[in-house]
Amino acid sequence: MSSPEDIARARQIKELEPLHEAWTQWTRTRESLQETLPLLADTDPAMRALASEEYTSITSTLTSHIQDIFPHLLVPASTTRQLSAMMELKSGVGGSEASLFLADLLRVYTRYANVNRWKTQVIASNQTDGGGLKDAIVEVKGEGAYDALRWESGVHRVQRVPATEASGRTHTSTVAVIVLPLAEESESMNGDDELFSMDDVKVEVMRARGAGGQHVNKTESAVRLTHVPTGVTVSMQDERSQHQNKRRAFQVLRARLMDIKLTKDIENRRATRRNLVRTADRSEKIRTYNYAQDRVTDHRIGLSLMNLTSFMEGDGVQDFLDALQRNHDEDVMEEMIGDADS
């Protein structure tokens, strides 16, 4: 059985592989450039033409390494790269249309997770009469899920004509998304956790209630947790037993408290303060889905993509996440350079 030291070393070697590959490619490309340069002065016109094409291709590759590949690899590795994610979606303005759009977004994230071979599970949700969802909490389990999906935190705005709108008038609705870091569950719900002390958690049990407020069973299976120091409250009643609801509630509490801790860490790190604190503003409108124009726009980076229908099938999510990650890496590099100059 491998020791923790062996596992840590193997992980470190794996993390260095992209840098090693990039440097190897850079070295080989530089060698190709040295071999090509004399051919630019060859007496044969055809050879000079081929050498010129090769020279253009080589310099393009070297430029890409300098401008994109190496800067990206020099950005410090994320401390949350191993974590899974927990996503909380809540309908905002727009009534039933907002609830329908929440269900649409949930499908988008589920499909995107499937493409990345992450496991998803909806652990809590409140359905509406019209087939939508008032809110939902979904686990996305897999390495890198949190780092990829954290950019989805914020207010998502949709502009479209509801199916029930006879006059064809466009409605604007919103859904708020919060992405939390999800660590492995603790084995015990009775002992202290690295994120909280059980003495600070108030545990209440009650009978589960239905949509109209009526009790749906005769046992006290619903659970509400309150973390007294922060005021964070979690209620859970979707599972059949009190034990299961308690386990789920502690899982959500742990994710929310870890999110608070990470946010404080970010605020204390000058190198990433300006970018990530702004990105983590959950009240910020981050994206607009305009059905009439078949366009989705991310307002943080000014990027618009056409073919909204394809995006809602989960196909265009990666384009936005890649662009947001590049934007983050560039900001971090600028901060690092600024720190070096100061």
Side-chain angles (χ1 to χ4, degrees):
M1 185 175 180
S2 299
S3 66
E5 292 77 11
D6 291 337
I7 295 174
R9 179 169 175 77
R11 180 174 294 171
Q12 184 179 30
I13 293 174
K14 182 178 179 181
E15 291 171 355
L16 290 173
E17 283 179 359
L19 181 59
H20 179 264
E21 292 175 1
W23 181 254
T24 300
Q25 186 180 9
W26 165 267
T27 303
R28 290 174 179 171
T29 306
R30 286 276 300 171
E31 291 174 353
S32 297
L33 178 63
Q34 296 303 316
E35 294 172 358
T36 302
L37 286 174
L39 299 177
L40 293 173
D42 195 275
T43 56
D44 185 350
M47 183 60 71
R48 288 201 305 271
L50 289 173
S52 179
E53 292 180 6
E54 184 70 11
Y55 176 81
T56 300
S57 175
I58 291 173
T59 54
S60 176
T61 300
L62 294 175
T63 300
S64 175
H65 272 68
I66 294 173
Q67 294 182 348
D68 300 318
I69 297 176
F70 284 142
H72 173 73
L73 292 172
L74 291 174
V75 172
S78 169
T79 59
T80 55
R81 58 190 178 279
Q82 305 295 330
L83 296 180
S84 299
M86 177 179 290
M87 305 185 73
E88 297 188 21
L89 294 82
K90 298 182 180 180
S91 58
V93 299
S96 60
E97 179 62 17
S99 298
L100 291 171
F101 184 60
L102 190 153
D104 291 340
L105 277 182
L106 184 58
R107 283 193 294 272
V108 171
Y109 294 134
T110 300
R111 288 168 177 166
Y112 175 72
N114 289 338
V115 170
N116 286 278
R117 297 184 179 180
W118 296 329
K119 296 181 180 180
T120 60
Q121 182 179 3
V122 177
I123 63 174
S125 64
N126 286 311
Q127 294 186 338
T128 61
D129 294 336
L133 292 171
K134 183 179 180 181
D135 52 62
I137 300 177
V138 58
E139 290 179 347
V140 184
K141 289 193 172 182
E143 184 175 321
Y146 173 71
D147 273 9
L149 293 169
R150 58 182 168 166
W151 311 114
E152 294 300 295
S153 287
V155 176
H156 296 243
R157 182 178 68 173
V158 60
Q159 296 173 321
R160 64 184 180 185
V161 179
T164 56
E165 176 59 58
S167 64
R169 184 169 60 92
T170 298
H171 289 224
T172 298
S173 307
T174 62
V175 170
V177 176
I178 298 176
V179 182
L180 305 171
L182 181 63
E184 292 297 325
E185 289 186 72
S186 295
E187 293 298 325
S188 173
M189 296 177 292
N190 300 315
D192 288 348
D193 188 281
E194 63 177 5
L195 294 169
F196 60 85
S197 168
M198 283 302 300
D199 293 338
D200 293 331
V201 180
K202 179 182 178 182
V203 181
E204 300 172 273
V205 295
M206 63 207 74
R207 291 164 67 183
R209 295 180 178 272
Q214 72 277 12
H215 294 291
V216 296
N217 60 33
K218 297 181 180 180
T219 61
E220 293 185 333
S221 61
V223 175
R224 179 167 61 214
L225 306 179
T226 302
H227 185 247
V228 178
T230 60
V232 173
T233 301
V234 178
S235 297
M236 193 66 60
Q237 66 171 31
D238 283 36
E239 302 290 350
R240 292 181 177 273
S241 72
Q242 182 188 122
H243 177 79
Q244 291 173 319
N245 282 320
K246 187 178 181 182
R247 181 177 66 85
R248 288 296 189 188
F250 269 104
Q251 190 177 16
V252 175
L253 176 64
R254 192 172 292 108
R256 291 180 180 174
L257 293 178
M258 184 181 293
D259 180 62
I260 292 174
K261 180 180 182 297
L262 289 175
T263 301
K264 287 182 179 179
D265 290 344
I266 289 169
E267 291 172 350
N268 293 331
R269 288 205 324 264
R270 181 184 174 198
T272 56
R273 181 188 298 140
R274 285 206 301 252
N275 184 56
L276 282 184
V277 169
R278 183 181 69 247
T279 304
D281 182 0
R282 275 69 184 269
S283 63
E284 179 186 6
K285 180 187 69 178
I286 64 167
R287 197 172 294 152
T288 295
Y289 305 76
N290 190 308
Y291 275 72
Q293 299 178 7
D294 195 30
R295 184 186 70 228
V296 55
T297 300
D298 196 292
H299 303 288
R300 294 164 293 182
I301 53 178
L303 175 63
S304 292
L305 296 178
M306 306 306 292
N307 198 346
L308 174 56
T309 302
S310 176
F311 181 92
M312 297 307 292
E313 294 297 323
D315 295 337
V317 178
Q318 192 64 55
D319 293 332
F320 279 111
L321 298 184
D322 287 345
L324 288 162
Q325 183 65 50
R326 285 195 301 271
N327 182 69
H328 164 61
D329 290 348
E330 289 170 3
D331 283 354
V332 172
M333 285 297 297
E334 290 178 4
E335 292 284 356
M336 291 172 62
I337 294 172
D339 289 345
D341 293 339
S342 61

